[in-house]
């Protein structure tokens, strides 16, 4: 669908994924006669994953079904705000010819606004499912349905290593803070630690019987946490691969798979963040409490010290908990000691990290697919291609948000019927960002917190300017 307004500062799509397709039938299902003009549409392969550079806010990476990985040079600072106003598009410069009419282009992009993507990294032979920059920003790791992990040089775009030790689709990647080791979890139930410099497998973590769906570092990065579609959560000694915790009992009664997890920040009684001795700023590095979400919508708290499930949370979700994310920004965690869970059941739930009570249930009217913290705000990307923002500090009753936005005329008195509904948040001025035509799969914020990069089923990556 066409969004009512495009809020993004820039847009990128993979030029190799666009195909012009002619309809062979009219709207009534009748075959179009030979020689008659045929309506056409553009088919674009979705972009599934995105990562932003940990040190340079102008660099982001996106990838999806087209198999290529694109490094984007995105606008920052004043240029970002100016482009947000001008709605300039980021695209490879040679994709749209000057003779092509704007209305014929899949996204109505003006060729004169196009700028060049930094580079394309090619080597994967199937959909790229996940990616992560190293903490130092010099390397980019990518995982694919082709079962391989590739490590690329961000500076040159060269593929330094192709890691083929896994035998299933790569589901998740996690760097060690040193940048020397990389964890990869796979559909084959394995997690492998790779030596990023040598490009070799250094340690195997085994015990799950289903897809590894998530990975975390625990205990000052000396332990590896993994969750699985088999309904278990495991804790490994990172150096020896010894299983120190394997929990299945006390979780879902239906043995539903564990699909999301998050460490809860350590906050003392004075509401100050308790920093890790090794990192100084990571409020989860010494965390003892883990929250997990399952495929049947149930959620649980696991204490890593006792290695037991200590609490089942009230049942808020009726479908899989797609993500659970705690506020871990050291500057905001004391003000927002909360974590948030999202689901395709349209519910966004905000929880208190201290007593695990649910303080807000927000029905956004669309399936929630991705969530990020932005200062004290919660950004939720949904199946309708819209990003919604909520203030985590405001506890609300579910009924207030059953209708999350209301109609308004975004263009004065002029109504454009083809643009669909005109949305604005009707509750306390909450903000929404428009631009995508289909569901948003993932999003990431830049390291300076000034931009939000989203990827979608519509085949585009969009860059939004984040404002106060």
């Amino acid at each position: 669908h066409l969004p009512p307004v495009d809020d993004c500062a820039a847009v990128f799509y993979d030029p190799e994924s666009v195909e012009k397709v002619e309809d062979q039938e009219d709207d009534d299902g009748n075959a179009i006669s030979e020689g008659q003009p045929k309506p056409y549409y553009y088919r674009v392969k979705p972009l599934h994953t995105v990562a932003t550079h940990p040190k340079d806010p102008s660099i982001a990476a996106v990838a999806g079904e087209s198999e290529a990985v694109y490094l984007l040079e995105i606008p920052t600072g004043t240029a970002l705000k100016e482009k947000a106003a001008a709605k300039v598009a980021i695209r490879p410069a040679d994709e749209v010819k000057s003779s092509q009419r704007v209305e014929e282009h899949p996204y109505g992009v003006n060729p004169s606004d196009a700028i060049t993507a930094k580079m394309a990294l090619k080597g994967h032979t199937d959909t790229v499912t996940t990616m992560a920059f190293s903490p130092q920003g010099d390397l980019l790791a990518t995982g694919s349905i082709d079962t391989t992990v590739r490590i690329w040089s961000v500076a040159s775009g060269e593929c330094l290593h192709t890691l083929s030790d896994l035998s299933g689709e790569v589901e998740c990647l996690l760097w060690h803070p040193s940048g020397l080791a990389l964890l990869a979890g796979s559909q084959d139930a394995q997690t492998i630690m790779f030596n990023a410099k040598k490009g070799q497998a250094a340690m195997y973590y085994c015990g799950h019987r289903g897809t590894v769906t998530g990975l975390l570092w625990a205990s000052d990065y000396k332990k590896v946490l993994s969750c699985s579609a088999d309904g278990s959560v495991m804790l490994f000694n990172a150096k020896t691969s010894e299983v120190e915790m394997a929990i299945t009992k006390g979780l879902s009664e239906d043995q539903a798979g564990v699909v999301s997890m998050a460490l809860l920040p350590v906050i003392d009684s004075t509401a100050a963040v308790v920093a890790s001795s090794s990192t100084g700023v990571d409020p989860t590095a010494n965390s003892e409490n883990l929250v997990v979400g399952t495929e049947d919508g149930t959620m649980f708290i696991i204490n890593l010290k006792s290695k037991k499930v200590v609490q089942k949370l009230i049942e808020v979700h009726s479908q899989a908990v797609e993500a659970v994310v705690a506020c871990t920004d050291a500057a905001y965690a004391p003000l927002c000691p909360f974590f948030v869970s999202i689901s395709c059941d349209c519910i966004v739930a905000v929880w208190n990290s201290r007593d695990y009570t649910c303080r807000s249930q927000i029905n956004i009217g669309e399936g929630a697919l991705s969530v990020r913290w932005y200062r004290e705000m919660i950004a939720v990307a949904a199946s309708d291609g819209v990003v919604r923002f909520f203030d985590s500090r405001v506890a609300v009753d579910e009924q207030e948000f059953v209708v999350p936005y209301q109609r308004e005329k975004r263009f004065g008195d002029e109504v454009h019927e083809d643009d669909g509904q005109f949305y604005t948040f009707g509750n306390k001025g909450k903000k929404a960002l428009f631009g995508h035509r289909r569901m948003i799969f993932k999003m990431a914020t830049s390291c300076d917190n000034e931009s939000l990069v989203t990827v979608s089923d519509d085949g585009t990556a969009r860059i939004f300017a984040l404002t106060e």
Side-chain angles (χ1 to χ4, degrees):
H1 66 274
L2 289 171
V5 65
D6 192 345
D7 294 313
C8 70
V11 58
F12 167 83
Y13 76 96
D14 183 343
E16 296 183 357
S17 70
V18 179
E19 178 186 8
K20 186 176 178 180
V21 180
E22 289 186 342
D23 278 330
Q24 302 303 312
E25 298 179 345
D26 60 23
D27 292 341
D28 297 323
N30 301 315
I32 298 175
S33 303
E34 191 68 31
Q36 294 295 315
K38 297 179 180 179
Y40 61 86
Y41 63 94
Y42 289 93
R43 178 183 296 143
V44 186
K45 293 180 180 179
L47 290 172
H48 288 284
T49 184
V50 58
T52 49
H53 197 278
K55 296 182 181 296
D56 188 342
S58 70
I59 298 176
V62 298
E65 286 188 15
S66 68
E67 303 167 6
V69 178
Y70 280 89
L71 284 178
L72 304 183
E73 188 170 359
I74 64 177
T76 60
T78 302
L80 174 68
K81 296 175 183 178
E82 290 176 350
K83 289 181 182 296
K87 298 180 176 60
V88 173
I90 292 182
R91 322 203 14 237
D94 60 351
E95 173 57 17
V96 178
K97 307 303 179 184
S98 59
S99 60
Q100 187 176 13
R101 297 203 314 270
V102 171
E103 60 267 25
E104 289 183 345
H105 190 271
Y107 300 101
V109 176
N110 190 331
S112 65
D113 294 335
I115 61 176
T116 306
K118 196 169 184 179
M119 63 182 76
L121 313 180
K122 298 185 178 182
H124 283 297
T125 58
D126 209 328
T127 299
V128 179
T129 54
T130 182
M131 62 173 65
F133 283 98
S134 65
Q136 293 72 31
D138 57 331
L139 302 174
L140 175 67
T142 58
S144 169
I145 291 178
D146 67 14
T147 76
T148 68
V149 174
R150 289 177 176 262
I151 298 178
W152 312 82
S153 165
V154 174
S156 67
E158 178 186 1
C159 181
L160 304 177
H161 304 292
T162 300
L163 312 173
S164 305
D165 300 81
L166 296 165
S167 58
E169 174 183 332
V170 182
E171 295 287 336
C172 42
L173 297 169
L174 181 65
W175 285 93
H176 188 272
S178 67
L180 301 177
L182 173 70
L183 293 174
S186 170
Q187 207 172 58
D188 66 4
Q190 289 190 99
T191 297
I192 300 179
M193 179 190 288
F194 293 100
N195 182 313
K197 281 195 172 182
K198 296 181 179 179
Q200 298 176 350
M203 192 68 65
Y204 291 79
Y205 305 96
C206 302
H208 290 300
R209 295 174 289 105
T211 300
V212 176
T213 54
L215 293 168
L216 292 172
W217 291 104
S219 300
D220 271 349
Y221 309 102
K222 296 176 182 177
K223 314 286 184 182
V224 176
L225 274 165
S226 62
C227 60
S228 170
D230 66 7
S232 67
V233 177
M234 304 189 78
L235 180 69
F236 298 91
N237 183 299
K239 286 187 177 181
T240 67
S241 75
E242 177 187 356
V243 178
E244 298 189 0
M245 180 187 77
I247 292 181
T248 53
K249 292 183 180 180
L251 297 177
S252 169
E253 294 179 359
D254 299 326
Q255 296 183 329
V258 179
V259 292
S260 55
M261 62 178 178
L263 286 165
L264 300 181
V266 180
I267 302 174
D268 65 19
S269 59
T270 64
V273 172
V274 179
S276 160
S277 59
S278 64
T279 64
V281 294
D282 185 351
T284 66
N286 287 316
S287 176
E288 295 181 352
N289 294 312
L290 177 76
V291 56
V292 301
T294 68
E295 287 180 343
D296 65 6
T298 53
M299 298 175 64
F300 304 86
I301 301 295
I302 297 174
N303 183 273
L304 300 180
K305 189 173 183 180
S306 67
K307 300 179 174 60
K308 294 180 179 179
V309 176
V310 294
Q311 188 168 334
K312 178 183 178 180
L313 304 187
I314 65 169
E315 294 191 14
V316 169
H317 298 294
S318 59
Q319 297 183 34
V321 181
E322 297 291 336
V324 55
V325 183
C327 180
T328 58
D329 187 324
Y332 289 92
L335 304 174
C336 308
F338 313 129
F339 61 94
V340 59
S341 60
I342 62 169
S343 171
C344 285
D345 63 7
C346 306
I347 298 296
V348 176
V350 183
W351 306 80
N352 192 308
S353 297
R354 293 193 180 97
D355 60 12
Y356 314 128
T357 55
C358 184
R359 57 187 279 110
S360 299
Q361 295 181 49
I362 309 165
N363 189 326
I364 66 172
E366 296 286 341
L369 302 177
S370 183
V371 61
R372 300 284 298 186
W373 282 88
Y374 171 62
R375 300 189 174 119
E376 72 280 4
M377 304 293 288
I378 299 166
V380 180
S383 56
D384 62 353
V386 180
V387 180
R388 299 161 171 81
F389 288 80
F390 303 95
D391 190 330
S392 66
R393 300 167 299 178
V394 179
V396 297
D397 183 86
E398 180 182 2
Q399 297 305 311
E400 289 186 57
F401 284 81
V402 169
V403 181
Y405 36 70
Q406 61 187 10
R407 291 176 180 268
E408 81 164 357
K409 295 178 181 179
R410 298 297 292 267
F411 306 97
D413 294 329
E414 184 178 3
V415 177
H416 300 269
E417 293 182 0
D418 292 339
D419 287 345
Q421 298 184 63
F422 305 108
Y423 300 137
T424 182
F425 273 86
N427 293 279
K428 304 176 184 177
K430 300 301 180 287
K431 186 176 178 62
L433 297 176
F434 298 89
H436 286 293
R437 299 186 178 193
R438 297 180 185 171
M439 66 179 70
I440 298 171
F441 290 124
K442 297 289 182 183
M443 56 184 174
T445 50
S446 60
C447 59
D448 61 1
N449 252 356
E450 290 191 359
S451 61
L452 180 74
V453 186
T454 56
V455 290
S456 167
D457 189 43
D458 66 14
T460 70
R462 294 181 183 264
I463 298 89
F464 297 94
L466 295 175
T467 57
E468 294 292 341

